[in-house]
Amino acid sequence: MTTANKSTPLSGPGSLNSWNMIAGITEGITTYAAAIRHVSRFGLWGYVLLPGLLSLLLALGILSMAWGLSDNLAGLILGWWSWDWGRSVVEIIAQVLGGLLIIAVGAVLFKQLIMVVLAPVMSILSAKVEAQITGKQPDDSFSVGRVFSEMVRGLRVALRNIVRELSATFFLLLLGLIPVLTPFTTLLIFLIQSYYAGFGNADYTLERHYSYRDSVRFVQQHRGLSIGNGIVFMLLFLSVVGFLFALPLGTVAATLQTLKRIDHVPGGV
C-alpha cells in the first residue's frame, strides 16, 4: 500500500517538550491494551504465534554463540593488563564487563535481527491493521522491485539504529564502571534500547506513508511514543516467555498510535 504523501514533509512541533514527552510515553505504554483487543477482535493471533516460533529459534542460536564468546572476550580484556599488581581486580572487572558487553550487544543485535528477518510478516500485519481501521484495502500486489526496495529500506533503518544504539550503549557501559553512576547508566541504556525498538515497530507503518528521511523525522518528533512503545516491548523481550510475542504486539500497538498522527485517520483509533 503506497500513499500519495510518501515524500510529503512533516509538519507540527511534535513531542519535543517535557509534557508531550511524558504524555507520549504514557500513550505508547497503554496502547498495548488496545493492541491486544484489536488482535483478539480480528483474529490476528496467527501473526503472533509464527513470529514467536522464529524468535525462539533465533534466540537459541544467539545464546549459544554468546555463551562461547563471553570467556574469550574477558580473556581479551585481561590480556591488555600486563602487570601483576591488581590483576585479580582487573580479572573480575574483565569478566563483569565482558558479560555485560555480550548481553548488551546480543540484545541489540537480536532485537534488530528479528525486526529485519520478520519485517515481511510485520509489514503485512501492520497493513492489515491499517485496512481494518481505515476500511481501505492494502496493496497486496507482488513485485521483485518492491520487495527489494522494502528490504533495502529495512536494512538501512536497522543499520542506522544498530550503530547509534551500540555506540550509546558502549559509552554508557564504560560510565557505568563508576559505581555511583551505574543505576543511571543502566536506566539510560534501557530507555535508549526502548526508543530504537519503538522506532523499528513504527517503521512498519511509516514505510507505507513516508520516505526514509521523513520517517526518521516523524520518530524524532514523537520520541515519547517510541520510548513508551519500546518500554513494553523491552519488558516483554527480556522476559522468559514475553519475547515470543513482543514484536507482533509492539507492531500492532505502534500501528495504532502512528495512524492517529497520520492525516487520513480523523480522530484517531
Side-chain angles (χ1 to χ4, degrees), residues 52 55-56 235-246:
S55 296
L56 178 60
L235 291 175
L236 291 172
F237 182 75
L238 296 174
S239 66
V240 177
V241 178
F243 79 95
L244 296 175
F245 46 84

Side-chain angles (χ1 to χ4, degrees), residues 183-205:
F184 303 101
T185 56
T186 302
L187 176 61
L188 285 175
I189 288 173
F190 178 79
L191 292 177
I192 287 171
Q193 295 213 10
S194 297
Y195 170 74
Y196 285 109
F199 187 143
N201 289 335
D203 196 61
Y204 297 128
T205 302

Side-chain angles (χ1 to χ4, degrees), residues 72 88 94 205 218 251:
N72 295 334
S88 59
T205 302
F218 180 97
T251 297

Side-chain angles (χ1 to χ4, degrees), residues 108-147:
V108 170
L109 294 181
F110 175 56
K111 174 163 54 48
Q112 295 295 342
L113 182 60
I114 62 172
M115 285 184 164
V116 172
V117 171
L118 298 177
V121 179
M122 293 302 101
S123 294
I124 293 172
L125 174 59
S126 176
K128 279 186 173 294
V129 171
E130 182 168 344
Q132 290 157 354
I133 294 298
T134 64
K136 298 178 181 178
Q137 291 302 312
D139 179 9
D140 293 328
S141 60
F142 174 83
S143 72
V144 175
R146 177 179 174 181
V147 172

Side-chain angles (χ1 to χ4, degrees), residues 61-217:
I62 290 179
L63 282 174
S64 63
M65 292 177 58
W67 182 266
L69 288 175
S70 59
D71 289 339
N72 295 334
L73 182 57
L76 180 62
I77 296 173
L78 186 60
W80 294 341
W81 188 266
S82 57
W83 300 276
D84 291 332
W85 62 272
R87 190 171 183 83
S88 59
V89 175
V90 173
E91 184 174 1
I92 294 174
I93 294 175
Q95 290 175 344
V96 172
L97 182 59
L100 289 175
L101 280 173
I102 291 295
I103 292 172
V105 173
V108 170
L109 294 181
F110 175 56
K111 174 163 54 48
Q112 295 295 342
L113 182 60
I114 62 172
M115 285 184 164
V116 172
V117 171
L118 298 177
V121 179
M122 293 302 101
S123 294
I124 293 172
L125 174 59
S126 176
K128 279 186 173 294
V129 171
E130 182 168 344
Q132 290 157 354
I133 294 298
T134 64
K136 298 178 181 178
Q137 291 302 312
D139 179 9
D140 293 328
S141 60
F142 174 83
S143 72
V144 175
R146 177 179 174 181
V147 172
F148 180 76
S149 176
E150 290 177 352
M151 288 179 61
V152 170
R153 178 193 169 98
L155 287 173
R156 188 178 181 186
V157 171
L159 289 174
R160 174 191 184 274
N161 290 350
I162 285 173
V163 170
R164 290 170 179 253
E165 193 172 347
L166 284 179
S167 299
T169 299
F170 181 72
F171 174 73
L172 289 171
L173 280 174
L174 292 179
L175 284 182
L177 294 177
I178 304 173
V180 69
L181 296 179
T182 301
F184 303 101
T185 56
T186 302
L187 176 61
L188 285 175
I189 288 173
F190 178 79
L191 292 177
I192 287 171
Q193 295 213 10
S194 297
Y195 170 74
Y196 285 109
F199 187 143
N201 289 335
D203 196 61
Y204 297 128
T205 302
L206 295 174
E207 66 182 4
R208 294 190 299 278
H209 300 279
Y210 295 126
S211 66
Y212 167 78
R213 290 184 180 277
D214 282 342
S215 295
V216 171
R217 289 179 57 200

